[in-house]
Amino acid sequence: MGHRALRGLAAYSGVLNLAYGAYFAVFVLWVVGGGSRVGLRLTPGQYGFLAATPAAGAVAGSVLAGRLTRPAGENGALVGVTLLKGLLLLVPLLVPSPLAVFPAAAGIGAANAVTNVVSVSLRRRLIPDGLLGRVNATCRLIGMGAMPLGAAAGGLVASLAGLPAVFWAACALSLLGAALVPRGGEAGSPVRERLGAANGG
């Protein structure tokens, strides 16, 4: 992880998963439970449909990922989609209506698919074959390990400051994640050759 672009991608994944772990740990309390004091009170059955909506969006996002990278480049696509995700996280708080929340959930799913496809493809291209397993495992540990930490932090923040504070914090972390995306020059540097040479490849 001595390359700046790889470090940036790992930090990006960790920060976003920290945000989403916190957000979705308390999301159900806002849309179904007593936290829905502003008007969004879904039934358990409706919440089931809402929970499935991001998956439908993810199908569309996986199809669109390649098209989005053509005009904006991989880095530009990651930044733009991450900023969009951060704003969509606030929809249930600012527009507490099923007419807004369901499309926002689909958008979050689509955006997640785009960021997953683009970031994993970029990381795969940067890592030399001999280090792929180790670096991928490290990145997965950072990314997936951040989710339970985020869930715990989300519960703590919600108990101390209320559910809206978790939503705002998740949005802020998502915007921070966009700032961690490697710039084009960093992502395009010959890391495969450099890391391969350092390991005798």
Side-chain angles (χ1 to χ4, degrees):
M1 298 295 287
H3 187 263
R4 184 179 297 177
L6 289 176
R7 288 200 307 269
L9 287 173
Y12 168 82
S13 175
V15 167
L16 288 190
N17 282 340
L18 185 72
Y20 300 147
Y23 184 89
F24 287 107
V26 302
F27 181 71
V28 65
L29 300 177
W30 182 261
V31 299
V32 175
S36 308
R37 288 189 285 272
V38 293
L40 184 62
R41 289 182 176 272
L42 299 183
T43 66
Q46 290 171 331
Y47 179 74
F49 282 108
L50 179 61
T53 301
V59 174
S62 63
V63 173
L64 293 173
R67 298 179 184 179
L68 290 175
T69 59
R70 293 191 194 109
E74 290 173 321
N75 307 85
L78 278 180
V79 170
V81 172
T82 302
L83 292 174
L84 176 62
K85 277 198 293 186
L87 297 177
L88 289 175
L89 293 177
L90 294 177
V91 169
L93 178 63
L94 301 179
V95 191
S97 165
L99 295 177
V101 172
F102 274 83
I108 290 171
N112 278 338
V114 172
T115 55
N116 284 339
V117 169
V118 175
S119 62
V120 172
S121 298
L122 180 58
R123 189 171 69 220
R124 175 63 184 88
R125 193 170 65 251
L126 291 171
I127 303 170
D129 293 337
L131 293 176
L132 183 60
R134 281 172 283 176
V135 177
N136 249 341
T138 301
C139 291
R140 295 289 288 176
L141 175 63
I142 294 171
M144 302 306 293
M147 296 189 75
L149 296 178
L156 179 61
V157 172
S159 65
L160 295 175
L163 297 176
V166 181
F167 286 23
W168 285 107
C171 174
L173 285 173
S174 294
L175 300 182
L176 173 62
L180 294 173
V181 174
R183 295 186 296 274
E186 294 170 348
S189 58
V191 62
R192 293 179 66 89
E193 290 79 359
R194 288 167 48 198
L195 290 180
N199 287 271

mmCIF file of all heavy atoms in Angstrom, residues 82-102:
data_model
loop_
_atom_site.group_PDB
_atom_site.id
_atom_site.type_symbol
_atom_site.label_atom_id
_atom_site.label_comp_id
_atom_site.label_asym_id
_atom_site.label_seq_id
_atom_site.Cartn_x
_atom_site.Cartn_y
_atom_site.Cartn_z
ATOM 1 N N THR A 82 -20.040 9.737 -6.102
ATOM 2 C CA THR A 82 -19.936 9.766 -4.636
ATOM 3 C C THR A 82 -20.605 11.010 -4.066
ATOM 4 O O THR A 82 -21.282 10.952 -3.028
ATOM 5 C CB THR A 82 -18.461 9.712 -4.208
ATOM 6 O OG1 THR A 82 -17.854 8.527 -4.748
ATOM 7 C CG2 THR A 82 -18.331 9.689 -2.693
ATOM 8 N N LEU A 83 -20.429 12.145 -4.711
ATOM 9 C CA LEU A 83 -21.121 13.357 -4.274
ATOM 10 C C LEU A 83 -22.633 13.182 -4.362
ATOM 11 O O LEU A 83 -23.378 13.601 -3.468
ATOM 12 C CB LEU A 83 -20.676 14.546 -5.125
ATOM 13 C CG LEU A 83 -19.227 15.005 -4.943
ATOM 14 C CD1 LEU A 83 -18.879 16.089 -5.951
ATOM 15 C CD2 LEU A 83 -18.976 15.502 -3.525
ATOM 16 N N LEU A 84 -23.087 12.567 -5.443
ATOM 17 C CA LEU A 84 -24.519 12.316 -5.601
ATOM 18 C C LEU A 84 -25.037 11.416 -4.485
ATOM 19 O O LEU A 84 -26.106 11.666 -3.906
ATOM 20 C CB LEU A 84 -24.789 11.684 -6.964
ATOM 21 C CG LEU A 84 -26.244 11.263 -7.234
ATOM 22 C CD1 LEU A 84 -27.168 12.465 -7.210
ATOM 23 C CD2 LEU A 84 -26.340 10.520 -8.569
ATOM 24 N N LYS A 85 -24.284 10.371 -4.161
ATOM 25 C CA LYS A 85 -24.709 9.479 -3.085
ATOM 26 C C LYS A 85 -24.847 10.224 -1.767
ATOM 27 O O LYS A 85 -25.789 10.008 -1.013
ATOM 28 C CB LYS A 85 -23.699 8.340 -2.917
ATOM 29 C CG LYS A 85 -23.879 7.192 -3.869
ATOM 30 C CD LYS A 85 -23.164 5.950 -3.390
ATOM 31 C CE LYS A 85 -21.672 6.091 -3.393
ATOM 32 N NZ LYS A 85 -20.995 4.809 -3.060
ATOM 33 N N GLY A 86 -23.872 11.078 -1.484
ATOM 34 C CA GLY A 86 -23.924 11.826 -0.244
ATOM 35 C C GLY A 86 -25.183 12.660 -0.127
ATOM 36 O O GLY A 86 -25.807 12.735 0.945
ATOM 37 N N LEU A 87 -25.593 13.267 -1.222
ATOM 38 C CA LEU A 87 -26.811 14.083 -1.206
ATOM 39 C C LEU A 87 -28.065 13.211 -1.101
ATOM 40 O O LEU A 87 -29.025 13.570 -0.412
ATOM 41 C CB LEU A 87 -26.873 14.950 -2.464
ATOM 42 C CG LEU A 87 -25.739 15.973 -2.602
ATOM 43 C CD1 LEU A 87 -25.860 16.724 -3.922
ATOM 44 C CD2 LEU A 87 -25.731 16.938 -1.431
ATOM 45 N N LEU A 88 -28.055 12.074 -1.756
ATOM 46 C CA LEU A 88 -29.219 11.185 -1.703
ATOM 47 C C LEU A 88 -29.455 10.649 -0.294
ATOM 48 O O LEU A 88 -30.597 10.339 0.075
ATOM 49 C CB LEU A 88 -29.048 10.022 -2.684
ATOM 50 C CG LEU A 88 -29.156 10.366 -4.174
ATOM 51 C CD1 LEU A 88 -28.835 9.144 -5.026
ATOM 52 C CD2 LEU A 88 -30.537 10.905 -4.511
ATOM 53 N N LEU A 89 -28.404 10.544 0.491
ATOM 54 C CA LEU A 89 -28.567 10.058 1.861
ATOM 55 C C LEU A 89 -29.446 10.980 2.704
ATOM 56 O O LEU A 89 -30.028 10.553 3.703
ATOM 57 C CB LEU A 89 -27.194 9.909 2.529
ATOM 58 C CG LEU A 89 -26.261 8.828 1.978
ATOM 59 C CD1 LEU A 89 -24.926 8.862 2.701
ATOM 60 C CD2 LEU A 89 -26.891 7.450 2.083
ATOM 61 N N LEU A 90 -29.528 12.235 2.303
ATOM 62 C CA LEU A 90 -30.313 13.200 3.071
ATOM 63 C C LEU A 90 -31.783 13.251 2.671
ATOM 64 O O LEU A 90 -32.579 13.904 3.345
ATOM 65 C CB LEU A 90 -29.710 14.602 2.914
ATOM 66 C CG LEU A 90 -28.324 14.817 3.516
ATOM 67 C CD1 LEU A 90 -27.844 16.224 3.222
ATOM 68 C CD2 LEU A 90 -28.332 14.547 5.014
ATOM 69 N N VAL A 91 -32.143 12.567 1.587
ATOM 70 C CA VAL A 91 -33.518 12.661 1.101
ATOM 71 C C VAL A 91 -34.544 12.224 2.145
ATOM 72 O O VAL A 91 -35.547 12.919 2.354
ATOM 73 C CB VAL A 91 -33.678 11.861 -0.210
ATOM 74 C CG1 VAL A 91 -35.157 11.725 -0.590
ATOM 75 C CG2 VAL A 91 -32.910 12.546 -1.337
ATOM 76 N N PRO A 92 -34.353 11.087 2.834
ATOM 77 C CA PRO A 92 -35.369 10.711 3.835
ATOM 78 C C PRO A 92 -35.521 11.737 4.947
ATOM 79 O O PRO A 92 -36.595 11.846 5.547
ATOM 80 C CB PRO A 92 -34.834 9.382 4.392
ATOM 81 C CG PRO A 92 -33.962 8.846 3.322
ATOM 82 C CD PRO A 92 -33.312 10.054 2.701
ATOM 83 N N LEU A 93 -34.467 12.483 5.225
ATOM 84 C CA LEU A 93 -34.531 13.496 6.272
ATOM 85 C C LEU A 93 -35.191 14.781 5.779
ATOM 86 O O LEU A 93 -36.031 15.364 6.461
ATOM 87 C CB LEU A 93 -33.115 13.793 6.773
ATOM 88 C CG LEU A 93 -32.956 14.869 7.836
ATOM 89 C CD1 LEU A 93 -33.674 14.466 9.123
ATOM 90 C CD2 LEU A 93 -31.480 15.135 8.100
ATOM 91 N N LEU A 94 -34.815 15.220 4.574
ATOM 92 C CA LEU A 94 -35.291 16.505 4.064
ATOM 93 C C LEU A 94 -36.618 16.411 3.324
ATOM 94 O O LEU A 94 -37.386 17.370 3.302
ATOM 95 C CB LEU A 94 -34.232 17.106 3.140
ATOM 96 C CG LEU A 94 -32.848 17.359 3.766
ATOM 97 C CD1 LEU A 94 -31.889 17.934 2.740
ATOM 98 C CD2 LEU A 94 -32.961 18.270 4.975
ATOM 99 N N VAL A 95 -36.869 15.262 2.696
ATOM 100 C CA VAL A 95 -38.131 15.064 1.957
ATOM 101 C C VAL A 95 -38.738 13.733 2.403
ATOM 102 O O VAL A 95 -38.660 12.725 1.698
ATOM 103 C CB VAL A 95 -37.892 15.060 0.430
ATOM 104 C CG1 VAL A 95 -39.229 15.131 -0.314
ATOM 105 C CG2 VAL A 95 -36.986 16.188 0.003
ATOM 106 N N PRO A 96 -39.311 13.687 3.593
ATOM 107 C CA PRO A 96 -39.795 12.421 4.157
ATOM 108 C C PRO A 96 -41.102 11.950 3.529
ATOM 109 O O PRO A 96 -42.158 11.933 4.159
ATOM 110 C CB PRO A 96 -39.964 12.763 5.641
ATOM 111 C CG PRO A 96 -40.292 14.215 5.648
ATOM 112 C CD PRO A 96 -39.501 14.818 4.519
ATOM 113 N N SER A 97 -41.019 11.564 2.279
ATOM 114 C CA SER A 97 -42.186 11.064 1.549
ATOM 115 C C SER A 97 -41.774 9.826 0.760
ATOM 116 O O SER A 97 -40.688 9.801 0.180
ATOM 117 C CB SER A 97 -42.706 12.135 0.583
ATOM 118 O OG SER A 97 -43.592 11.565 -0.365
ATOM 119 N N PRO A 98 -42.622 8.799 0.724
ATOM 120 C CA PRO A 98 -42.285 7.628 -0.088
ATOM 121 C C PRO A 98 -42.008 7.978 -1.548
ATOM 122 O O PRO A 98 -41.196 7.320 -2.202
ATOM 123 C CB PRO A 98 -43.534 6.738 0.047
ATOM 124 C CG PRO A 98 -44.118 7.123 1.352
ATOM 125 C CD PRO A 98 -43.874 8.602 1.481
ATOM 126 N N LEU A 99 -42.665 9.004 -2.063
ATOM 127 C CA LEU A 99 -42.454 9.410 -3.455
ATOM 128 C C LEU A 99 -41.019 9.887 -3.693
ATOM 129 O O LEU A 99 -40.527 9.862 -4.822
ATOM 130 C CB LEU A 99 -43.447 10.507 -3.835
ATOM 131 C CG LEU A 99 -44.919 10.098 -3.849
ATOM 132 C CD1 LEU A 99 -45.793 11.305 -4.183
ATOM 133 C CD2 LEU A 99 -45.153 8.966 -4.838
ATOM 134 N N ALA A 100 -40.352 10.337 -2.647
ATOM 135 C CA ALA A 100 -38.962 10.768 -2.769
ATOM 136 C C ALA A 100 -37.996 9.704 -2.293
ATOM 137 O O ALA A 100 -36.916 9.528 -2.868
ATOM 138 C CB ALA A 100 -38.751 12.056 -1.967
ATOM 139 N N VAL A 101 -38.370 8.976 -1.241
ATOM 140 C CA VAL A 101 -37.440 8.038 -0.624
ATOM 141 C C VAL A 101 -37.196 6.816 -1.505
ATOM 142 O O VAL A 101 -36.062 6.339 -1.609
ATOM 143 C CB VAL A 101 -37.953 7.626 0.767
ATOM 144 C CG1 VAL A 101 -37.098 6.504 1.349
ATOM 145 C CG2 VAL A 101 -37.935 8.828 1.708
ATOM 146 N N PHE A 102 -38.222 6.310 -2.161
ATOM 147 C CA PHE A 102 -38.028 5.137 -3.013
ATOM 148 C C PHE A 102 -37.089 5.443 -4.186
ATOM 149 O O PHE A 102 -36.151 4.684 -4.440
ATOM 150 C CB PHE A 102 -39.372 4.600 -3.495
ATOM 151 C CG PHE A 102 -40.016 3.635 -2.528
ATOM 152 C CD1 PHE A 102 -40.747 4.098 -1.450
ATOM 153 C CD2 PHE A 102 -39.861 2.272 -2.688
ATOM 154 C CE1 PHE A 102 -41.337 3.213 -0.551
ATOM 155 C CE2 PHE A 102 -40.440 1.371 -1.803
ATOM 156 C CZ PHE A 102 -41.180 1.851 -0.721
#
